[in-house]
Amino acid sequence: MKTRTVNKVIRGKRVTDGAGVRLVRSLGTEGLAHLDPFLMLDEFRSDTPGDYIAGFPDHPHRGFETVTYMLAGLMEHADNHGNSGILRGGGIQWMTAGRGIIHSEMPKQKDGLIWGFQLWINLPATDKMMPPRYQNIEPEDVPEVKRADGAVVRVIAGEADGATGPVRGIVTSPLYLDVTLPPGGVYEHELPQSHSAFAYLFQGSANMADTEVEQTALTAFSDDGAGVRITAGPKGARFLLLAAKKLNEPVARYGPFVMNTRDELQQAFEDYRAGNF
Ligand code: CO
């Protein structure tokens, strides 16, 4: 397998979002605005309630998907269509905002560790105005493959190591893996030519293709090979590996709305103000 080279490595940046949640944003910063079809990646990780307790009160989304993957803690979700639920460590919520929802994402705990990720994935023009849809996946429904070489792979979406992720029917055919490698462990994964790919390292260190990276580094791969190759450093590595089909469409983005044109953005604002979400 000819492996993909590294296009860019960006370091996560500390930002505050929602009503005052401290998080580390990698994708979606000036370092890398987006990697078609991926729009944003945040990691929130703190055992200090002041960093997270304010949560993300009511806010709208239109035109894309938000994916929340929790490693620890509890997050309560509720929207203006009457949907609600609690995400636990190891669980996933894949929300297709489509034509619009207004929701809140609030920590359901007063202390202790909360740790997770939120990823934004774009929708093609044909699906931006689809009805909102959720896939809520419980931790025990995520296949966890323990390989003979010590690697542990949680398969959230797509196929890897003989397992298929529980998230189905997503238009960009995503791969979403949570991979833990022992010291010196190697992970290779084949990808279709149509897919963009990146890895976000959140524990240990690793060599991505030929580039050494540390914690909170997001490595965007080039489209020049059949797959990716990642080697763990001396203390092992844990990373998210993401890939999805490129849309090759114009992106008009403002805050929680991601459309194709400025007119569509304007319409999103008007619909939101008019209470049509
Ligand atoms: Co949201």
Side-chain angles (χ1 to χ4, degrees), residues 56 59-61 66 95 101 103 105 118 120:
F56 302 88
H59 59 278
H61 293 292
T66 70
M95 183 187 83
I101 59 114
H103 75 163
E105 300 158 284
Q118 186 165 94
W120 289 11

Side-chain angles (χ1 to χ4, degrees), residues 14 20-23 44-55 72-73 107 109-115:
R14 298 200 167 276
V21 178
R22 291 176 190 220
L23 45 84
F44 43 93
R45 177 185 190 177
S46 178
D47 55 10
T48 305
D51 288 346
Y52 62 75
I53 205 75
Q109 60 189 59
K110 299 258 183 294
D111 53 45
L113 175 67
I114 198 159
W115 188 7

